[in-house]
Amino acid sequence: MPGSERDDEVDLLIDAWSQRLPGVDLTPLDVMSRLRRVAARLSRLRAGAFRVARLAAWEFDVLAALRRADPPHQLSPAQLIEATMTSSAGMSARLASLMERGLIERERNPRDGRSVLVRLTDEGAARVDSAMRELARREEEALAPLGDRERAALVHLLRLLMTDGPDARS
């Protein structure tokens, strides 16, 4: 650790565990414990941004998947399940709630009368756009201490960590 940085809560955690388990290499915690804390901070940041648009995180995820789709911003429930990594039962409940709030509409699939398509309403688009603008603003604020080179390096390193490793299936 560079000498100019003060010990943080992760350093203190590692120091305490080093005393209890002196033979264990705890250096991975330098990264992973900080990533967990950053992820928790990001979760709070996202929730705050979504609250501005009166959306829950799961609502944003579904509406964002629809918004990213080409106009008329519609997808099948199966496509939404894949895009949001949600179960079929979970998606059914989510779609019912979003429809009740007037953020989506369901319509028969013109190519297959047995299936439906989910379409974003104007209100749904306005809400998800508002949430995305607020999220981008808050994330920029959170990243302000990093310069362009540091951000690029961080993106590169995070991409390396996102690849499937031995515990990816757990």
Side-chain angles (χ1 to χ4, degrees):
M1 280 172 265
S4 63
E5 295 180 23
R6 292 188 350 222
D7 282 356
D8 63 14
E9 62 192 51
V10 174
D11 294 322
L12 299 175
L13 177 143
I14 292 170
D15 289 347
W17 275 110
S18 294
Q19 292 174 14
R20 303 299 179 269
L21 302 171
V24 176
D25 177 11
L26 299 171
T27 56
L29 275 69
D30 271 332
V31 173
M32 295 304 194
S33 290
R34 284 182 179 84
L35 280 176
R36 188 174 65 78
R37 283 164 173 74
V38 169
R41 180 179 178 208
L42 177 59
S43 183
R44 291 188 303 273
L45 183 147
R46 290 172 56 91
F50 301 154
R51 241 187 331 272
V52 168
R54 298 183 322 274
L55 294 173
W58 68 264
E59 292 172 314
F60 174 84
D61 290 343
V62 173
L63 297 176
L66 289 166
R67 185 67 168 127
R68 290 189 309 266
D70 289 335
H73 308 294
Q74 64 185 20
L75 296 170
S76 70
Q79 289 171 308
L80 285 168
I81 288 167
E82 185 178 333
T84 61
M85 297 181 285
T86 305
S87 70
S88 180
M91 184 56 68
S92 293
R94 290 173 181 200
L95 294 178
S97 176
L98 289 168
M99 200 161 110
E100 186 176 301
R101 293 185 59 200
L103 303 177
I104 63 163
E105 295 174 339
R106 291 187 213 194
E107 53 192 44
R108 290 245 177 257
N109 186 337
R111 293 184 207 142
D112 176 4
R114 297 170 295 161
S115 65
V116 298
L117 293 172
V118 178
R119 187 173 52 80
L120 190 62
T121 64
D122 290 343
E123 176 65 17
R127 294 265 193 101
V128 76
D129 287 357
S130 173
M132 180 51 81
R133 283 186 194 96
E134 182 64 15
L135 179 60
R137 186 192 69 73
R138 289 178 185 220
E139 287 184 353
E140 175 57 35
E141 192 175 276
L143 291 170
L146 302 179
D148 291 343
R149 281 187 169 174
E150 291 167 315
R151 288 182 190 200
L154 183 56
V155 167
H156 172 74
L157 295 171
L158 291 172
R159 280 188 176 137
L160 292 174
L161 289 177
M162 285 174 52
T163 60
D164 289 345
D167 292 332
R169 294 173 296 272
S170 301

